[in-house]
Amino acid sequence: MRLPLLFLLAALALSAAPRKKIAVALEGGSALGIAHIGVLEWLEQHRIPVDYIAGTSMGGLVGGLYATGRSPADLRAIVKDAPWDKLLGGSIAFRDLSFRRREDRTAVPNLIELGLKGGVSLPSGLNLGHEIGLLLSRWTLAYPELESFDELPTPFRCVATNLVSGEEEVFGKGVLADALRATMSLPGVFKPANRGGKLYVDGAVLQNLPVDVARQMGADIVIAVHLAKPPVDPKSLNSFAGVIDRSIGIVVSANEMRMMERADIVVTVNLAGFSASDYPKSAELADAGNAATEQKRNILETFALPEAEWAEFQKARAARRRPEPTQISTVKVDAEDPRQARLVADTLAPLTAQPWNPTALERELSRAVGTGRLASLRYSVRGSELLVQAEQRSYAPPFLLPLLEIDGSDIENFRVSGGARLTWMGVGTARAEWRNDIIVGSRYRFASEYWVPLGERSRFFAAGRAFAGDAAFPIYSGRAQVANYRLRDTGFGADLGYQLGRIAELRAGFTTTWHAARRRIGNPILPNVKDHLKVPSLRFRLLDYDDPIVPREGSRVEASFAYVLARGPQAEVQANRFFRVSANASVFAAAAGGTAFDTRSLDFGSFSLGGPLRLPAYATNELLGNQYWLGTAGYLREIRPGLSILGTRIYGAAWAQLGKMYGQPGYPGVAASAAGAMIIRTFVGPVYFGGAWGDRGHGRAFVGVGRFF
């Protein structure tokens, strides 16, 4: 009788013992980390509780979002809908830029920006982190600042590397969005997260699989999720970047192996066939995580809860989830420059009279960053107060945009120039700017403009200008260059203008110019001149497209009217429109025309046609006259989408044009041209090459670097 009684007592003791607490440790791996969603999905489907969760880098992001109470289905939707090209590219969307920053991106179509604050320097990361900061703010909005991340529906920790001390740092309290921003700051790609004067980068540098962190949270059982990367291709080690990446990978892998040895269970997700940039394949990556966890079914199901106990566990987790705000009543902006804080606060003030709308808020924050004065803005809500944290550009202003131009419209006579646009901000007033362009090479140009708004919030502005230039003016007849002139202009002017929001501006001004043209070689097609011109003018410019390098949708319009004193009036308008017809394709149309209002003899104030987008079958300046019209219809297709920090993309374009030049002796009728080109968008600017065929035996190949559309 005594033995059965002992068995009964032992059984009762076991049934009364608390269950073992389970933690999941999630490894970093960029897009590969999306596989963690499938692991969490399988655990929930089989009623296996996750009492604690810890992660690094992408594992930290997935773990942090799961810790806020979201389901794996919610996480699948988040990564599917996230604008990864914007998050990784880092640049503010063109349509969120102020008009003057739109002008910069149009004039200097590359992704390089140097700062001159304390010497010439690049930013500490190619991605300043504004876009990812906004999404992290939104995704963690209900948890602005916590005494402990144990207060989350699922207790959470993430790991970052303190750049100053060189030590691993575990985030277990504070602002959740800040912790996630720190753990996923990939060195050299994302600007290091600055929190409390400390600089943080990706935790993978020291601890990519935080098994020990999960154990220290109080777990009895730690499930480690390892992302098995594809085998290394020896060909990838033939470059400097490939060797550095692999060298770092070896160190990280050694650390991962040590952590896997300390885990109780390891789920290894085989990700052969995937790459670290495969964010668009989020569904397949999550499925791979689910399938890998299924392989551990036998051991994992021993931790499954009965249905009633599982329901209680889920109910308790949901009860800890906090609601998001529904209204804000006040705005507080924390910025290093009080003038910038005031401008941002004034911009956001109207939102206090509206129902809570994070989309509208983020749009206004991006537009504030789009002025170029701030690196990023992030936000949180405490009670009914909106708190905005501004981060200044540590390296600028002033900032410098380098420019490279290669004109190969005449393959036998390449013209190469280089230069930069240098801008100081806050000169005199908070919104004033001093902008300078310097170009040397085949053409020389110096231009300086001081621009100042007529009031802190006014759209009216004044601008003073000075300029000097020297450039070649080749003239062709068919394939042959028949003359080459040098044009020199020196002058100054002043404008009064009005900005129509971020998309357009109207200017009225007066310019005085000392103009000279002298033939260097060839036939005297045009006379040598030396003039002093005084020119009142009216100019309108609209930049309302989605991208300044290769637009996919939107419009651009430039129109001008000038009255050259002692000579007469002149007007010109150019307009184009892009229409997106599918995810990868657009069509575009353009119209241009100009007139001198008379039939005066040709001079260097005449209009010209010829070149890649102005009848490319004809050479530059082959058609000269005092009046013209030009019509364009074309098709543009993205051949190779880019999803990288450098934004590389490949496009194919085809277009047809009809035009007519008036006032050129010996050239009758309408000119026609059909062309095709490849355009490669790179971080140094668009690289293009193509060919064109036209009427009367015209045809040319062309190649170049620099502005295309």
Side-chain angles (χ1 to χ4, degrees), residues 253-540:
S253 295
N255 181 277
E256 291 168 356
M257 292 300 295
R258 288 194 297 273
M259 289 299 103
M260 285 191 284
E261 292 172 358
R262 299 178 187 181
D264 298 291
I265 302 168
V266 177
V267 174
T268 299
V269 186
N270 184 354
L271 294 171
F274 294 99
S275 74
S277 62
D278 277 338
Y279 293 92
K281 298 180 180 180
S282 62
E284 295 95 322
L285 285 163
D287 289 344
N290 193 300
T293 317
E294 172 68 20
Q295 300 302 311
K296 297 287 184 175
R297 169 191 285 268
N298 290 340
I299 187 170
L300 289 173
E301 283 194 334
T302 62
F303 303 107
L305 297 179
E307 289 190 10
E309 193 173 340
W310 172 253
E312 285 298 318
F313 177 82
Q314 289 288 70
K315 182 178 178 181
R317 181 171 183 258
R320 292 194 297 272
R321 188 168 182 176
R322 298 182 181 182
E324 294 189 354
T326 58
Q327 182 78 42
I328 58 173
S329 59
T330 58
V331 177
K332 180 182 178 182
V333 180
D334 183 10
E336 182 180 318
D337 185 342
R339 298 180 301 178
Q340 294 302 320
R342 185 170 60 254
L343 288 173
V344 173
D346 289 347
T347 300
L348 300 179
L351 298 179
T352 61
Q354 304 171 13
W356 171 246
N357 186 340
T359 301
L361 169 64
E362 291 168 12
R363 182 172 60 246
E364 293 301 328
L365 293 176
S366 291
R367 289 172 177 175
V369 173
T371 65
R373 292 165 171 82
L374 299 168
S376 64
L377 289 166
R378 60 187 189 276
Y379 67 94
S380 60
V381 177
R382 297 176 188 171
S384 62
E385 183 179 43
L386 174 65
L387 304 174
V388 177
Q389 181 68 46
E391 190 167 341
Q392 301 289 139
R393 292 172 181 251
S394 59
Y395 63 100
F399 57 80
L400 184 145
L401 307 176
L403 173 67
L404 173 65
E405 295 179 340
I406 300 177
D407 181 357
S409 54
D410 179 357
I411 292 183
E412 296 180 358
N413 295 284
F414 272 76
R415 291 184 288 274
V416 181
S417 300
R421 170 164 287 188
L422 176 61
T423 304
W424 277 266
M425 294 181 170
V427 180
T429 68
R431 293 172 56 203
E433 299 182 10
W434 182 25
R435 188 163 70 187
N436 301 271
D437 292 334
I438 302 173
I439 298 173
V440 298
S442 297
R443 70 183 181 107
Y444 295 86
R445 181 76 174 170
F446 168 76
S448 182
E449 178 187 73
Y450 180 70
W451 180 94
V452 59
L454 302 179
E456 191 171 284
R457 300 176 183 84
S458 176
R459 293 188 177 184
F460 288 96
F461 64 88
R465 298 174 285 108
F467 56 89
D470 184 311
F473 191 88
I475 300 177
Y476 289 81
S477 177
R479 295 181 181 274
Q481 184 180 141
V482 296
N484 192 17
Y485 290 76
R486 293 297 297 188
L487 305 185
R488 292 181 179 177
D489 291 280
T490 304
F492 58 88
D495 298 325
L496 290 175
Y498 182 80
Q499 286 196 335
L500 289 83
R502 286 168 301 281
I503 66 172
E505 75 169 19
L506 179 67
R507 290 188 178 213
F510 185 88
T511 305
T512 183
T513 306
W514 287 266
H515 170 73
R518 185 165 65 91
R519 178 170 54 91
R520 293 291 182 88
I521 60 171
N523 301 326
I525 307 297
L526 299 174
N528 291 339
V529 296
K530 190 173 183 179
D531 291 331
H532 179 199
L533 306 177
K534 299 176 181 179
V535 187
S537 63
L538 185 66
R539 288 169 290 163
F540 173 78

Side-chain angles (χ1 to χ4, degrees), residues 205 246-256 258:
V205 175
R246 179 55 181 158
S247 300
I248 295 173
I250 291 171
V251 176
V252 172
S253 295
N255 181 277
E256 291 168 356
R258 288 194 297 273

